[in-house]
């Protein structure tokens, strides 16, 4: 299963943030490329938009803060 192997993340914002911060920590500062996808399958436009809003307001700031804390 792709979700179990960590290839697909379909979770709450809090869990998604925790998982992505763990990946960032494991991969290091020079491996931070991320290509999220928010609308696929039967997800409605409204659901995808809400996911994007949560990603932008709850996850991205945490990833930026963690990245800024890593020495160059």
């Amino acid at each position: 299963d792709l979700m179990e192997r960590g290839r697909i993340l379909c979770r709450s914002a809090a869990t998604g943030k925790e998982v992505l911060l763990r990946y960032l920590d494991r991969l290091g500062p020079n491996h931070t490329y991320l290509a999220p996808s928010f609308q696929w399958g039967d997800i409605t436009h409204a659901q995808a938009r809400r996911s994007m809003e949560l990603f932008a307001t709850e996850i991205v700031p945490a990833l930026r803060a963690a990245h800024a804390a890593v020495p160059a």
Side-chain angles (χ1 to χ4, degrees), residues 12-50:
S12 69
T15 303
K17 179 171 49 176
E18 177 185 320
V19 169
L20 289 173
L21 286 170
R22 201 168 48 233
Y23 282 152
L24 180 65
D25 186 52
R26 190 174 77 204
L27 295 174
N30 295 320
H31 298 89
T32 56
Y33 181 79
L34 181 65
S37 177
F38 298 97
Q39 189 164 7
W40 40 271
D42 62 353
I43 293 174
T44 67
H45 178 74
Q47 291 169 320
R49 184 175 172 89
R50 179 67 179 141

Side-chain angles (χ1 to χ4, degrees), residues 1-9 11 23:
D1 181 274
L2 289 175
M3 188 177 290
E4 289 174 358
R5 292 188 348 222
R7 306 255 180 197
I8 295 178
L9 303 174
R11 306 161 196 254
Y23 282 152

